[in-house]
Every structure is written in structure tokens, then in C-alpha cells.
Amino acid sequence: MAENLFDAFDYVSSKQWKQQIQYELKGADYNETLVWESPEGIKVKPFYHADESEINYTVAKNNRSFTIVQNIYVHDIALSNKRALDALNRGAESIRFTFENENTAIESLMANLPLEATQYFFYLPFLSIDCVNNINTFASKNKAKIIIELDPVGQLVKDGNWFENLDKDFEKLNAVSAKASIPFISINAGTYQNAGANMVQQLAYTLAHINEYFNRLQNINQPITIEMAVGSNYFFEIAKLRALRILFQTLAKEYNHELDCQIIATPTKRNKTLYDYNVNMLRTTTECMSAILGGADAIANLPYDAIYHKDNEFGDRIARNQLLVLKHESYFDKVGNAADGAYYIETLTQQLADKALLLFKEIEEKGGFITQLIEGNIQKKISESAAKEQELFDSGKEILLGTNKYPNKNDKMKHDLELYPFVKQNPRKTLIVPIIEKRLAEKLEQERLTQED
């Protein structure tokens, strides 16, 4: 029998720890001095102890290593195929193609690519039964591991309009469901984080988003893919992904859906900066670490220059190499569920899951996610959360190094912009107010750009 190393130490209760801490504080109030509250209303203590830990959940064991995903936008099919082959040769383990249109030639795009052992994601920013059928036929014929990413509700969230309308979109989705032998439902939950929602909101809105598909699709017999954005609050983000899996399993059980979700994680854009852009590499590294420890199945890193440069080989290579270092040199893939038993993370996971479940139930009692979007309540709540975070950034309480703390005044970016890095205004008629993604540093950066020579 293995010896418990902790038996060599005398037991110290949480009460004894608190007494010692209170003594060291020399009269200062324990709660006011050492306990802080997160935007989600979670009070974070200075230490966590086994005798105060009341965990009543289990996270399904994730013994699979995470896969390194390379994003490729398909404009030129031959070039996209070449990029995919090159990325796989340089360490990528999975490819996600974003289609430009429904007439993409699948055979040409996938020519000479390894099919049976490599996972491919096809993100479709349109809803076409013919295109899905073509992909499904190709996958069956070639035994290819393909996941289609279709999300009409996500389209409504980001664009303000359906592809056509609610009835026709779900009619098409049900037609896809009747024939597809590969996974096709995807939840683009990164929008909520990138727009400023707090973590409880992100989890609750994601769950309500998923529930619309469970309610409206006649038969879901394939795994559901969930894309989550990961921020820089290291331990909270680990707990967020763990809580997401618990919540999904809880919801799926109600529909007798026995397949686990597939989580794709990508670093958030919300804290990325135009000036001192190399710091973005540090941010994305810790965010990818959180994603790995949180149990993400696949990770698509965000290049450090993604907000202002077009796709380029150097940015893609750096982003890919960050994940290769974490996997093959830091051995982050060697332990499944590495966060198990960490009282702090376990407690955060429980609290985030509990709070998100309460908010989810509130959304469902008021008609469900789509109804709440149409009434504008979801947008209002996210705007309120984003405004609070923006105020913290503007006042210097939330720090982005190189931007609102220790900025390099000599840094010039005006002539290096290949992409417009700010929210684009596109006034038009929409069914709902879309949920707009916005970075914290945008206003400050626009002011700096106007002051450049």
C-alpha cells in the first residue's frame, strides 16, 4: 500500500490556520484585508483547506491529450491546402478551415492531407444543406475525421439576424441532422467573453445556447462542439472550463444525450493590445495553459498580431510553437485532470457551476435564450458587465502592461496596420441588437494613433 506522505506532518485545521493568520495581521480585519470578491460575486479566500471543502461534483476523466489546432481561412483552395500541409508538418495536429462560400471544392481542399488520423474542423459561416451533404459524403467515403461547425443561434448573436429566419434555419438544421453521420452542431461561446460577459454569464449563456438546440432539433446523436474564449484570470479560467463540462453533462443527461462535448479553446481578444504587442504572447501562453489544465480537447492559439495583421506565416508559427513548447517541453499533456484535488480550483469550479446553473434556470423560466435575446435582456447584462470591466481598465485598476501601465511612448503603430483593429460600425436593420466583441484598450489606442506623427 502506498504511503501517504502527508501523514508525516501534524494535522493543522483550518481554524488553527485562521487563528495564526489573524495573529499575524496584528489587529487588521481578516475579511477586509485578505478576502476579495470577483466580478462574478465569488469571495476568494487566502487559503483553502480540506475540512472546508464540500465538493459534490465529478469531472469526467479526460485522459486524451489536447490537440494543437491551426486556423486557416479558405479563400484560395490550392493555397489553403498548401498551408494545411505545411502546418501539419510543422507541428499542428488538427486543422480548422473557415469556408468563404458554400461552393468550396472539398476534394481539392483535402488533397494529399492525412485523413484518418487527423481531426479537421470545417467552420461554415452560412447554412447550406448541399455543402454539409458534400462534406458528409467526403468524410464517409474517405474515412476522414471531420467536424462541421454550424451555429445558427451564434449567427443571430453576432450578426443580429438569422441566416434566413428561425423556422427555416432550424428546418434546415433538422434536415442536416437526419442525414449527417459526422458532428455538425457547434456553439460559438467565445463571443460572450470577447464582448465582456463575466464567467458566470459566459457559462449560463453557453448552456442556454446549447439548450436551444436540444429543444429544437429532433435528434442529436453526435457530439456537440463548444468553442470557448479563455482570459488571463488563470485559476478562474481553469475552473470555468471544468464547470462548463459539468454543466453540459448535467444538461445533456436531461435529454438522454450520453456523448460528451468537445471543447475548443482559444485565447480571448478582449485583453489583446495594439501597442507593445509582444506582451500578447505572454497573455496567450498563460491562457493556453489555463485551457489545457481546464480540460480543453483542442486549442487554437491566437497569433500575437492577429488584431492588426492579416494571416501570416510568422505569426502562425509563433502561436503554434507556443503550444508545442507547452506540450512537448513543459509536458502539460502528461497528466489528465491535473487540477483535481486543488481545493482552490475545486471550490471555484463548484461556485461557478452553481451560479451559472441558477442563471440558466432564470433564463429558461423567462422563455429561453432566443426569447431573452429578442427582448434584449442578454445584451443588456453583457453590456453592464463590460462597462464595469472597462471602468476598471480606464481607472488603472485592471492592468494591461504596455498599454495602461508602463506604456512605451515611442511605440508607433499607425503605419503597421493591415487590419482595422477596432469595432466596425455597420448601421443596418437587424432582428436583435447583436452582441459586439470589443477590446478593452480600443479607446486608448485610438487616442494614441491620432497623436502619432
Side-chain angles (χ1 to χ4, degrees):
M1 185 174 178
E3 180 184 359
N4 188 341
L5 296 179
F6 288 103
D7 289 342
F9 300 91
D10 293 334
Y11 177 79
V12 181
S13 68
S14 60
K15 183 177 180 181
Q16 289 173 287
W17 275 110
K18 286 179 182 176
Q19 288 174 340
Q20 183 63 34
I21 291 171
Q22 192 64 63
Y23 172 77
E24 297 291 344
L25 286 174
K26 303 185 187 303
D29 184 85
Y30 173 88
N31 289 318
E32 291 185 4
T33 306
L34 298 179
V35 177
W36 59 274
E37 186 170 319
S38 76
E40 296 78 18
I42 294 175
K43 291 186 177 180
V44 181
K45 301 184 292 185
F47 77 98
Y48 290 79
H49 196 283
D51 64 19
E52 292 183 331
S53 180
E54 297 180 0
I55 306 303
N56 56 20
Y57 69 85
T58 56
V59 178
K61 292 296 178 184
N62 179 15
N63 296 319
R64 297 162 295 179
S65 172
F66 72 94
T67 57
I68 299 171
V69 180
Q70 179 67 60
N71 288 321
I72 297 177
Y73 183 83
V74 181
H75 174 68
D76 181 302
I77 291 177
L79 183 59
S80 297
N81 174 265
K82 182 180 178 181
R83 284 188 62 196
L85 283 167
D86 182 65
L88 291 171
N89 288 332
R90 290 171 176 264
E93 298 162 331
S94 182
I95 303 293
R96 175 161 58 180
F97 291 114
T98 295
F99 283 22
E100 185 176 52
N101 60 67
E102 58 189 80
N103 298 317
T104 300
I106 310 300
E107 296 276 355
S108 299
L109 179 64
M110 303 299 288
N112 301 317
L113 291 174
L115 298 178
E116 294 188 33
T118 302
Q119 183 80 69
Y120 296 90
F121 298 90
F122 287 3
Y123 175 75
L124 308 184
F126 48 80
L127 184 50
S128 166
I129 296 176
D130 289 342
C131 183
V132 172
N133 287 341
N134 288 340
I135 296 169
N136 191 65
T137 300
F138 175 87
S140 300
K141 177 182 175 182
N142 295 277
K143 297 181 180 179
K145 296 172 64 177
I146 293 175
I147 292 176
I148 298 173
E149 294 188 61
L150 275 176
D151 187 11
V153 177
Q155 165 72 11
L156 175 68
V157 166
K158 287 193 71 171
D159 186 73
N161 288 316
W162 297 97
F163 290 114
E164 290 187 63
N165 58 55
L166 187 152
D167 292 336
K168 288 185 178 179
D169 280 12
F170 275 98
E171 182 182 331
K172 286 186 176 181
L173 213 56
N174 271 301
V176 168
S177 179
K179 292 185 177 181
S181 60
I182 58 177
F184 65 93
I185 299 174
S186 176
I187 311 300
N188 183 7
T191 303
Y192 310 127
Q193 212 279 353
N194 285 314
N198 65 44
M199 290 189 197
V200 168
Q201 290 173 334
Q202 292 170 48
L203 290 168
Y205 298 159
T206 301
L207 201 63
H209 189 151
I210 296 167
N211 198 45
E212 292 291 345
Y213 291 117
F214 276 128
N215 277 327
R216 296 174 186 273
L217 293 186
Q218 297 169 3
N219 184 29
I220 302 178
N221 53 14
Q222 299 290 346
I224 292 175
T225 303
I226 307 173
E227 180 172 0
M228 293 293 287
V230 179
S232 57
N233 193 341
Y234 189 72
F235 293 108
F236 269 73
E237 292 290 350
I238 295 172
K240 181 180 81 177
L241 293 189
R242 289 163 57 85
L244 173 64
R245 201 174 291 276
I246 295 165
L247 290 167
F248 176 85
Q249 291 166 356
T250 301
L251 178 65
K253 187 177 180 181
E254 297 298 314
Y255 293 92
N256 297 315
H257 181 82
E258 298 179 353
L259 300 171
D260 198 6
C261 60
Q262 167 134 319
I263 299 175
I264 302 178
T266 191
T268 181
K269 293 179 182 177
R270 186 153 173 81
N271 63 2
K272 301 306 178 287
T273 56
L274 182 60
Y275 291 93
D276 213 346
Y277 49 76
N278 286 321
V279 181
N280 290 333
M281 281 187 272
L282 303 179
R283 298 181 182 120
T284 54
T285 298
T286 64
E287 288 158 3
C288 288
M289 289 164 65
S290 291
I292 297 166
L293 296 176
D297 300 286
I299 301 174
N301 195 11
L302 185 73
Y304 74 97
D305 58 349
I307 63 173
Y308 67 93
H309 269 170
K310 295 177 182 177
D311 288 348
N312 61 89
E313 194 277 335
F314 183 77
D316 285 346
R317 179 163 59 87
I318 293 296
R320 192 168 54 243
N321 285 349
Q322 288 173 261
L323 290 171
L324 287 169
V325 169
L326 289 174
K327 190 167 193 174
H328 298 297
E329 296 185 31
S330 303
Y331 306 110
F332 264 66
D333 66 326
K334 297 304 181 186
V335 179
N337 287 42
D340 279 1
Y343 304 133
Y344 177 35
I345 297 175
E346 297 272 22
T347 303
L348 289 180
T349 302
Q350 173 104 40
Q351 291 184 75
L352 285 172
D354 289 346
K355 286 178 176 290
L357 191 58
L358 286 174
L359 180 54
F360 165 73
K361 290 179 179 178
E362 181 182 316
I363 293 168
E364 293 305 306
E365 288 171 0
K366 293 180 179 179
F369 189 61
I370 292 174
T371 298
Q372 287 294 288
L373 282 171
I374 292 172
E375 293 178 359
N377 293 326
I378 302 294
Q379 297 91 319
K380 179 182 177 184
K381 294 296 183 182
I382 292 178
S383 293
E384 290 172 354
S385 174
K388 290 178 182 178
E389 187 181 20
Q390 189 69 54
E391 184 179 346
L392 290 173
F393 172 80
D394 293 343
S395 65
K397 293 179 181 177
E398 180 164 335
I399 295 171
L400 293 182
L401 286 175
T403 301
N404 67 341
K405 186 79 169 181
Y406 307 125
N408 178 3
K409 299 296 185 182
N410 296 320
D411 199 3
K412 308 292 184 183
M413 290 299 299
K414 182 184 290 186
H415 301 294
D416 201 22
L417 303 183
E418 295 178 351
L419 301 173
Y420 186 71
F422 310 115
V423 172
K424 296 178 181 178
Q425 300 297 326
N426 182 22
R428 57 200 167 84
K429 186 177 180 180
T430 57
L431 177 65
I432 69 167
V433 176
I435 295 175
I436 305 297
E437 299 180 0
K438 184 179 180 181
R439 296 181 299 107
L440 287 168
E442 289 197 15
K443 181 180 177 182
L444 189 152
E445 290 170 351
Q446 286 175 310
E447 292 173 354
R448 286 188 62 176
L449 284 172
T450 60
Q451 295 169 5
E452 287 188 19
D453 298 331

